[in-house]
Amino acid sequence: GKTETVKDLAKAVAKQCVVFNCSDGLDYIALGKFFKGLASCGAWSCFDEFNRIDLEVLSVVAQQILTIQRGINSGSSTLLFEGTEIKLDPTCSVFITMNPGYAGRSELPDNLKALFRTVAMMVPDYAMIAEIVLYSCGFVNARPLSVKIVATYRLCSEQLSSQHHYDYGMRAVKSVLTAAGNLKLKYPEENEDILMLRSITDVNLPKFLSHDLPLFAGITSDLFPGVQLPEPDYSTLIPAIKENCEKMNLQPTKVFVEKILQIYEMMIVRHGFMIVGEPFGGKTSAYRVLAGALTDICEKKLMDENKVQITVLNPKSITMGQLYGSFDPISH
């Protein structure tokens, strides 16, 4: 909650807060431009993951921040910054957040540490956050439900096997809350236990390996005793999936169809997702069958679906800059 704290503090004192995600491509000229803007308009900035920036850049940044701080302390209205005279608003402020001791991160140099006051952050109380978010989504018995979400993740982290793609942190809790909020809007009269169980299942079930599924089912049935989930209506989708399996000469086994439906459900609640698994596990076939099925459904004008276009990229064949965009050192 480091960045969120800074953003909330800025909101509370009515300051514009610019959150900037630092990467190792930044140099001192780019950051100098940033500081010029901050100093002259009096905004706050929060540099996220600040220690990703290269060490040699950080020591110059220390000088830049020191110049601004000295200008504020002297009480003057203008400031000579890197050879340019700029208007100085004394209410500007720089916050930095970092995860110390991470791989690929540099330690902050001492002349930079001296300019900032350190604040150590603890893991927040997830149950309280969940409760507040649920109340704001319109849930009536948010307190017991928020405790159940946190309990689910705690039990999962204790009982299930440890895999690279399992995640039980704040972001995982957040995705359950988002799903629950969407379901509450869609079915405002439905029993809230059912909505909560459904969002926990929808978000988590697709990522568990087969031997963890019975354990997960045990955890949810203990926390939500006697809650039965209604079967979702796939009367249009399943026939289209089976039809496309036949076209591609694949067998629509129960597990395969289930995975395709999970990908479909995941696509509705997420911006993007990874399909992970062993070679020949049916990852590519699954999304191809789903794409074909949704295209067929679109042609029949059902379910408000769209035609699917697939673009396949091999990330190893292009550079990081081509894939994600990069900072241009020539034109800045």
Side-chain angles (χ1 to χ4, degrees), residues 24 29 43 84 104 140 160 165 185 227 234 245 255 291-292:
D24 49 13
I29 307 175
T84 324
V140 180
L160 306 189
H165 65 282
L185 282 175
V227 177
Y234 293 128
C245 282
V255 182

Side-chain angles (χ1 to χ4, degrees), residues 166-275:
Y166 288 4
D167 163 39
Y168 308 115
M170 184 63 227
R171 284 190 172 88
V173 175
K174 182 84 179 67
S175 54
V176 170
L177 297 173
T178 312
N182 292 342
L183 286 173
K184 184 70 180 169
L185 282 175
K186 208 170 168 189
Y187 309 107
E189 301 304 314
E190 183 64 89
N191 176 358
E192 289 181 355
D193 278 341
I194 291 181
L195 294 182
M196 188 43 73
L197 180 56
R198 175 144 179 225
S199 47
I200 289 178
T201 320
D202 282 356
V203 170
N204 291 299
L205 203 63
K207 69 180 171 195
F208 290 137
L209 301 187
S210 50
H211 56 261
D212 285 332
L213 288 175
L215 294 170
F216 179 68
I219 292 171
T220 49
S221 62
D222 288 350
L223 286 169
F224 296 92
V227 177
Q228 278 295 317
L229 286 185
E231 282 293 309
D233 171 35
Y234 293 128
S235 52
T236 327
L237 192 54
I238 289 182
I241 288 173
K242 291 192 168 158
E243 203 176 293
N244 276 277
C245 282
E246 255 171 53
K247 269 188 218 163
M248 297 179 192
N249 207 9
L250 299 167
Q251 292 182 342
T253 57
K254 183 168 175 272
V255 182
F256 187 57
V257 173
E258 206 168 84
K259 274 296 163 203
I260 294 174
L261 292 175
Q262 285 178 352
I263 294 174
Y264 174 71
E265 287 292 336
M266 192 67 101
M267 201 164 60
I268 295 170
V269 294
R270 300 288 173 115
H271 295 298
F273 48 86
M274 285 189 201
I275 306 176

